[in-house]
Structures are given as structure tokens and as C-alpha cells.
Amino acid sequence: MDISKVFIYVVLCITLFTLFLHAWVTKDDIQNLPEDPNERLSTLFYFSTVTISTIGYGDVYPKSVRARMAVTIFIIFSYVASIVGFMTLIKRGIPSA
């Protein structure tokens, strides 16, 4: 598995999760979510990136049960994808530069 493929995969996952949240959650579901659609998308992209990187600053966070469920599913999916990726690297061997 090439590093560029991993990068594309991570960006794709974050983007898809951002679009899913944008369509599914309301302002009442996530703390500090702006009303403006452009700001909302950038805030959700930031939130998705901070969540997948396990930093979790706490400035934007889920408040409702459905938002927590969506974030939990995203985190579980991210962990499973990471494990599969690492197992693939181990199985195929780490490519030399």
C-alpha cells in the first residue's frame, strides 16, 4: 500500500464523514456549529480531522445522541481501517524508499 494511497484514503474518509454530518446533524446536535453553510462545512471538516487524529480539542463536540452515535461509528470505522492498513503493511512488507 503506497503512502499516497493512504493519504488519499484518509482525506476521502474525512470528507465523506464531513458531508454525512453536514446532511444529518443540526445546529442543536453539535456544540458551536455555525448557521452559515460555508462555515458549517469548514467547522465539520475541522471536527472530523480533529476526531480522526484523536486530538479532540473539545471546542466542537457532539451534544445529541444521534451526533454521538455518528461520531462513534466514524471512530470505530477509523480504527478498523487503521488496523487493516497496518496489517496489510505487515503482510506485504514495508516498501523501501
Side-chain angles (χ1 to χ4, degrees):
M1 185 178 286
D2 189 5
I3 291 295
S4 61
K5 289 181 184 176
V6 172
F7 178 75
I8 290 169
Y9 175 75
V10 169
V11 170
L12 181 65
C13 286
I14 291 172
T15 304
L16 289 175
F17 183 66
T18 299
L19 294 174
F20 170 73
L21 280 179
H22 184 59
W24 200 47
V25 299
T26 65
K27 185 175 179 348
D28 297 330
D29 292 329
I30 295 186
Q31 182 68 32
N32 298 328
L33 190 62
E35 293 281 343
D36 179 47
N38 293 329
E39 286 183 45
R40 179 183 166 107
L41 267 176
S42 64
T43 301
L44 287 172
F45 187 79
Y46 162 78
F47 172 69
S48 300
T49 305
V50 169
T51 300
I52 199 171
S53 66
T54 69
I55 294 172
Y57 290 118
D59 52 344
V60 180
Y61 57 89
K63 295 190 309 184
S64 71
V65 172
R66 76 180 189 170
R68 288 184 187 130
M69 296 270 298
V71 172
T72 301
I73 291 168
F74 177 61
I75 291 170
I76 291 170
F77 175 76
S78 300
Y79 285 154
V80 169
S82 297
I83 291 169
V84 169
F86 286 129
M87 294 304 287
T88 303
L89 280 176
I90 290 169
K91 183 178 177 183
R92 293 184 183 174
I94 299 173
S96 58

